[in-house]
Amino acid sequence: MQDTIVVVTDLFSSSNPQKPAAEVISVSELSGRIHNTLEGRIGRVDVEGQINSPKLGHHWYFTLSDGDSKIDCAMWASRVSAIKPAGWEPSQGDQVVVRGTVGHYAKYGKTQIYVERIKPAGDEKGKLQQEYDALIKELQEAGWFDVAHKKPLPTYPKRIAVITSKSSAAVRDVIETARQRWPAVGLLIVNVPVQGEASAPSIIEALQRVDNAAEKLGIDAIIVTRGGGSLEELWSFNDRGVVEAAFNCNTPIVAAIGHESDTSIIELVADHRASTPTQAAMVLIPDADELSQMIQHYASRLESSVQREIERGTS
């Protein structure tokens, strides 16, 4: 019992220890701690707000506000120069989204965002989605997606043109699938950029040139393909010119753009849509093993029929 009382007494006596003397630090050291805490705890953020009081010189300075709160922003010249080629800069009242880190500017004692990237709010994907929906509606009403426009695929193609990037995983998938299923089929790889400004014109030219030379080159079908990506990265395959070039092709087209959940407009006007590059190849290229089994089956049936006829003739 005595030992227990001693322990309890010790616990109570140590519950209110004497506080150590407060640490005295400089203003600069405190500012540094604030900056490190903000940057370390919050990290990189995307923030939407309205541009106020922009000063767009060598560096860009402005305030971001949502009506109830505001925060200062600074974008250094090195970051500004990266977006200037796009030909856009913010102005008073613009609704924007900025990406950056939050820090504390010691000289003026203020918290601000160090901006790495800025764009109009709802731009890019929002506008692209609107364009996508509008073109879908227009072409659907014009009948471009109707089954009546779909050309039959060749049963045993001898040569297939594959329009994609020559260094992509998509082209490797097509080549490997062809090798496994029917090594005798010929593949003509037509190298094009599959995203970026040069992509759509290159794909249009490739479709037109391949289609025009199909008979001369012995091309029975075309695969247009690329791997997955964002709406922006896949946008070339929603370009009106690309879609029109595919629609006007006389050579059957199989399109496989992005992942299975993605739907590019070129896939809707193509003669067949595949979910992956591998499936696109499988749709067009027969399986040698299956054909071999089918031939053996028919050979066996023919042999049985002949045998029966011989037996009838001798009976």
Side-chain angles (χ1 to χ4, degrees), residues 124-195:
E124 301 278 349
K125 190 166 185 177
K127 286 188 176 180
L128 291 180
Q129 188 65 50
Q130 291 175 11
E131 291 179 30
Y132 175 92
D133 293 341
L135 188 54
I136 285 279
K137 182 179 179 181
E138 178 189 340
L139 299 183
Q140 194 166 31
E141 291 175 352
W144 283 32
F145 307 151
D146 292 354
V147 176
H149 292 295
K150 308 295 183 185
K151 295 177 287 294
L153 302 181
T155 305
Y156 301 108
K158 295 178 181 178
R159 200 175 196 199
I160 299 169
V162 184
I163 298 177
T164 191
S165 169
K166 67 178 181 180
S167 60
S168 65
V171 77
R172 292 194 294 272
D173 289 346
V174 172
I175 291 171
E176 180 60 21
T177 302
R179 186 188 67 78
Q180 291 177 359
R181 291 176 68 85
W182 191 265
V185 70
L187 297 179
L188 174 64
I189 309 300
V190 184
N191 181 43
V192 295
V194 292
Q195 67 185 65

Side-chain angles (χ1 to χ4, degrees), residues 55-309:
K55 297 177 182 177
L56 310 181
H58 187 56
H59 306 295
W60 286 4
Y61 302 96
F62 53 90
T63 299
L64 206 59
S65 170
D66 63 3
D68 296 319
S69 305
K70 66 178 183 179
I71 188 167
D72 291 322
C73 298
M75 189 171 187
W76 307 133
S78 58
R79 297 291 186 176
V80 171
S81 62
I83 70 164
K84 274 190 172 179
W88 175 84
E89 67 178 38
S91 58
Q92 176 66 32
D94 282 355
Q95 193 76 7
V96 300
V97 174
V98 303
R99 170 171 290 184
T101 56
V102 181
H104 184 72
Y105 187 35
K107 186 175 181 179
Y108 294 114
K110 65 180 181 180
T111 301
Q112 62 182 2
I113 301 175
Y114 295 97
V115 178
E116 300 170 0
R117 194 172 70 192
I118 181 172
K119 66 178 182 178
D123 191 45
E124 301 278 349
K125 190 166 185 177
K127 286 188 176 180
L128 291 180
Q129 188 65 50
Q130 291 175 11
E131 291 179 30
Y132 175 92
D133 293 341
L135 188 54
I136 285 279
K137 182 179 179 181
E138 178 189 340
L139 299 183
Q140 194 166 31
E141 291 175 352
W144 283 32
F145 307 151
D146 292 354
V147 176
H149 292 295
K150 308 295 183 185
K151 295 177 287 294
L153 302 181
T155 305
Y156 301 108
K158 295 178 181 178
R159 200 175 196 199
I160 299 169
V162 184
I163 298 177
T164 191
S165 169
K166 67 178 181 180
S167 60
S168 65
V171 77
R172 292 194 294 272
D173 289 346
V174 172
I175 291 171
E176 180 60 21
T177 302
R179 186 188 67 78
Q180 291 177 359
R181 291 176 68 85
W182 191 265
V185 70
L187 297 179
L188 174 64
I189 309 300
V190 184
N191 181 43
V192 295
V194 292
Q195 67 185 65
E197 291 184 6
S199 179
S202 299
I203 297 169
I204 293 169
E205 182 182 7
L207 284 166
Q208 292 173 341
R209 293 184 66 177
V210 168
D211 189 48
N212 291 336
E215 187 175 351
K216 179 181 177 181
L217 297 175
I219 293 170
D220 300 306
I222 299 171
I223 292 176
V224 182
T225 189
R226 69 149 283 163
S230 65
L231 180 63
E232 292 85 355
E233 292 169 334
L234 301 178
W235 188 250
S236 298
F237 301 93
N238 297 314
D239 179 87
R240 186 187 185 90
V242 169
V243 173
E244 189 170 355
F247 181 76
N248 290 329
C249 270
N250 294 312
T251 311
I253 294 178
V254 175
I257 310 299
H259 299 300
E260 189 169 0
S261 58
D262 301 315
T263 303
S264 296
I265 301 177
I266 192 175
E267 295 176 286
L268 301 178
V269 301
D271 300 296
H272 187 91
R273 179 195 176 196
S275 59
T276 64
T278 296
Q279 191 185 64
M282 291 175 67
V283 165
L284 281 172
I285 302 170
D287 188 330
D289 290 339
E290 288 182 4
L291 287 174
S292 177
Q293 291 176 22
M294 184 178 68
I295 290 170
Q296 290 176 13
H297 172 71
Y298 285 128
S300 177
R301 288 183 60 184
L302 180 60
E303 184 179 351
S304 297
S305 296
V306 171
Q307 185 62 36
R308 284 195 297 271
E309 290 299 319

